[in-house]
Every structure is written in structure tokens, then in C-alpha cells.
Amino acid sequence: MERNELASLVRPNIRNLTPYSTARDEYRGALGIFLDANESPYDTGWNRYPDPHQQALKQRISAIKGVPEASIFAGNGSDEAIDLLFRVFCIPGRDNAIAITPSYGMYSVAAATNDIAMREVPLGADFSLPVEALLGAADADSKLLFLCSPNNPTGNAFRPEDILALAARFRGIVVLDEAYIDFSRVPSLLPELARRPNLVILQTLSKAWGLAGLRLGLAFADPYIIRLMSMVKYPYNINAATLKLALTALEDSPAARVEALLEERARLEKTLPAFACVRKVWPSEANFLLVEVDDADALYARLLADGIIVRNRSRVRGCAGCLRITVGLKEENDRLVQSIAAYEKSLVH
Ligand SMILES: *Cc1c(COP(=O)(O)O)cnc(C)c1O
């Protein structure tokens, strides 16, 4: 898709929108006597509105990711970016979106709240990407196509050439959710953005960066798409506390923690298949394992009784019998293994 085709995908009311101009839009300096925003002049630490453009944060993200600031959107979790993409591109009650299934539940929830029909296309039996079926599900009103790689809850990453083929052939926006990319051997597709105006890549500080409580999600895309998302967002969507804490946290690298989690993942990948109740541990490129067991409900209940909470995905399409288990600290994973061992012993007697 060419850049000049993007505008035709945008909802007409959004294309013609004049965004709210904040007091901080009109004067952007840091020094002065601020009598423009009806804030309190008393320094509580938080009496000033935050930067609606999050410039300092974007500078830091730009340096870390090698993506120009104009191609970066920061949101209240990835969920905000997902919702904004519907609001920017999809006409309620008319347009539709496409997503792989099983995948992250938020794509369908955001579609439903925006009154957009979601067309779910099943992954292959081995969780492979159904490229032709995804394209076959599209019509002239298909505006968004959601992919998640590495995928939640299956844990596998898709072949970059398949994702790029979809970006080349789909006549709308391909949204690639890379929430788990830091745990994957498959590289991020961020370097492809400059050549792919209809590709939006989502990342988050909630997983590898360990900042889920701060609520900071990122979208990377063509500057035109970033401008549209920024126009539609709440002006101060990232609060001052999150901005401040995130900037501090981003000074460190999460590499050592990611490395440790990958070692623990490898250990569980080896340990779990030894249990008779474990039928299959799916290969993972993420910080969790999808584990198929004889009786998912029974094992889930047993783990819960031992104070270990995992995600029961056994009623999700394609995931019959499966639990999704996040890789924890070594001691936590040891407890998991002990609990499964005790469960298995109780079955034999
Ligand atoms: C956890 C997760 C996210 C992160 O969501 P945030 O709102 O940024 O915390 C995004 N996508 C997928 C597929 C996830 O599993």
C-alpha cells in the first residue's frame, strides 16, 4: 500500500477533526509563570498538567527502539492504542475487522464496544498463520487486521515473511501486536515500518519491562497514523506519575531479567513433559507456556488450592485441555512443579 492511500481508510469525521488544543499546546516552554491552565500554583509535586505530547518519553523510546519520535504513540496500556485504531479507522455498524483466533481477547472486545463486526480466522492446527484464509475473510469494508506475534495464548511467533506478505496484500491496516517480542528469537518488524505505511506495531512496557502497573503501551506507525491517534486520544492520556516513573525505569535495561526468564522457560520446557498428565508443552517464544494436560480443570483446581494461579484456556478454540502458565521466579516455578508432582501422585492412588 502507498502512503497516499492511507487517508482513504480513515473515518471521514476523524479525517476532518480539529483536535482540542490544551493550554500546554499554545505555550510549550518549561520556564515561566504559568497562569494559563487554571492549575493550582501550590507545589504538591503534581499540581501541573503533564506534557500531552509526552516528548521526553518519546525521545527515550526513540533512542531505545531506533524509531523516529513522529512514529511513536504512547497510550494507557496497549488497550488504548487498540481502541483508538478502531475509532480512527472503523465506521461503527458498517466496517469490519479481522483477527486470528485464538489470540488476545482485547481485539474482539474493542471491536464490540465500537460496534464493529469481528471476523475471526482460526490458526492452523499447529497454530500456523492462515495467510490465505485471512485475506479471504476481507472485503472492501475490512479496515483492520490483527496479528499477535509471539501470539497469546499459543506462544508461537509467526514467520516474518508471512506477516509482511499480509501487509503487502491486505487493503487496510495490519496491526501487529509484539507484546512478547523481547522474549522471542524472531526479531521485531520495527525496521520494516518505514517501508510499510499500513503496518502498525504494538509493544508494551507491561511484560519484559516489568511495568504492568504503570499502564504504558506503545504503538509504532507511519507519522500520519500517529497524528490521527494523537488527535483522538484524551489530551493527558499518560499521567504525570506514569511519565516520571517510566522515564526512570527506562534508564535500566530489562535484558538480565529477560535472560533469567528465558532460562526458567527452558527449564520448565524440559521438566513439565516428564509428568504423565502433561500431553504437550507447546514451543514458546514468550514468557509463558501453553501446556496441554489430561484434565485441565482438575489440575487448575489443584494448583489453585496450592495458591498457584494459572490461566485455564481449555475452553478457548484450538486450546482444549490447555493451561497457560506464566514463567515466574525460580522458586515460584519450583513450587509449580512440586504441586503438579503432588497432583500426579494423588491420581495414582
Ligand atoms: C499483555 C498483553 C498486552 C499488554 O497490554 P497492556 O495494556 O499494554 O498492559 C498486549 N497484547 C497482548 C497480546 C498481551 O498479551
Side-chain angles (χ1 to χ4, degrees):
M1 178 175 293
E2 302 294 323
R3 280 200 77 211
N4 57 18
E5 290 175 68
L6 280 179
S8 67
L9 297 172
V10 179
R11 280 168 68 188
N13 61 312
I14 302 296
R15 216 186 296 145
N16 302 322
L17 190 73
T18 310
Y20 174 71
S21 164
T22 71
R24 290 297 123 85
D25 279 309
E26 285 165 26
Y27 177 78
R28 295 242 208 133
L31 296 174
I33 296 172
F34 288 99
L35 305 179
D36 58 343
N38 298 347
E39 299 153 334
S40 168
Y42 297 101
D43 185 1
T44 61
W46 309 107
N47 56 315
R48 298 296 174 190
Y49 281 105
D51 173 10
H53 308 284
Q54 300 116 11
Q55 280 180 315
L57 176 72
K58 288 182 182 178
Q59 274 166 19
R60 184 76 192 110
I61 300 283
S62 172
I64 293 170
K65 299 288 180 182
V67 173
E69 286 163 51
S71 285
I72 302 173
F73 172 86
N76 184 346
S78 307
D79 300 339
E80 181 181 6
I82 293 166
D83 182 60
L84 283 173
L85 287 165
F86 278 103
R87 292 166 66 194
V88 165
F89 289 106
C90 298
I91 301 174
R94 195 197 84 174
D95 288 339
N96 67 75
I98 301 169
I100 52 172
T101 184
S103 193
Y104 188 44
M106 220 26 228
Y107 314 137
S108 298
V109 172
T113 56
N114 285 287
D115 194 16
I116 303 302
M118 180 57 99
R119 302 178 174 184
E120 294 189 324
V121 177
L123 297 177
D126 54 353
F127 298 145
S128 58
L129 193 63
V131 175
E132 296 307 323
L134 284 164
L135 291 167
D139 62 21
D141 296 327
S142 301
K143 296 291 171 61
L144 303 174
L145 169 55
F146 285 91
L147 305 174
C148 182
S149 182
N151 187 38
N152 177 5
T154 58
N156 60 317
F158 302 120
R159 291 162 13 133
E161 54 268 38
D162 287 348
I163 296 169
L164 294 175
L166 281 169
R169 293 169 64 192
F170 180 59
R171 307 314 300 161
I173 304 292
V174 170
V175 185
L176 172 62
D177 190 338
E178 290 189 339
Y180 299 98
I181 197 67
D182 298 305
F183 303 103
S184 178
R185 282 157 286 211
V186 180
S188 166
L189 285 181
L190 279 181
E192 291 291 329
L193 271 187
R195 279 187 293 273
R196 317 265 174 183
N198 65 328
L199 181 62
V200 176
I201 295 181
L202 305 180
Q203 292 190 3
T204 179
L205 301 194
S206 296
K207 307 285 157 66
W209 283 93
L211 301 173
L214 283 191
R215 309 309 302 133
L216 199 42
L218 304 169
F220 302 93
D222 188 275
Y224 176 69
I225 296 178
I226 299 298
R227 276 201 303 279
L228 291 164
M229 294 173 74
S230 304
M231 243 165 45
V232 175
K233 77 176 179 69
Y234 292 163
Y236 303 111
N237 63 324
I238 307 294
N239 70 71
T242 292
L243 278 179
K244 186 175 172 180
L245 294 167
L247 275 170
T248 306
L250 286 169
E251 282 170 18
D252 298 329
S253 158
R257 278 174 280 165
V258 167
E259 222 25 68
L261 288 173
L262 292 183
E263 277 174 31
E264 281 300 294
R265 183 180 80 190
R267 188 167 74 90
L268 288 175
E269 275 172 335
K270 270 218 227 110
T271 312
L272 296 181
F275 290 110
C277 69
V278 173
R279 289 189 184 164
K280 185 175 175 84
V281 178
W282 287 89
S284 173
E285 298 286 332
N287 65 338
F288 58 82
L289 292 170
L290 189 71
V291 183
E292 192 181 328
V293 298
D294 283 342
D295 186 342
D297 289 346
L299 180 56
Y300 175 84
R302 173 61 197 238
L303 292 173
L304 193 60
D306 287 347
I308 299 166
I309 303 108
V310 301
R311 199 93 204 267
N312 188 346
R313 298 281 79 186
S314 60
R315 278 161 202 84
V316 168
R317 173 188 197 122
C319 297
C322 287
L323 301 178
R324 193 195 68 192
I325 304 178
T326 307
V327 178
L329 298 172
K330 178 172 189 311
E331 308 78 71
E332 295 175 320
N333 303 329
D334 286 343
R335 286 273 304 279
L336 170 83
V337 170
Q338 284 161 18
S339 183
I340 299 175
Y343 164 79
E344 199 150 276
K345 225 170 151 196
S346 73
L347 289 183
V348 187
H349 295 297

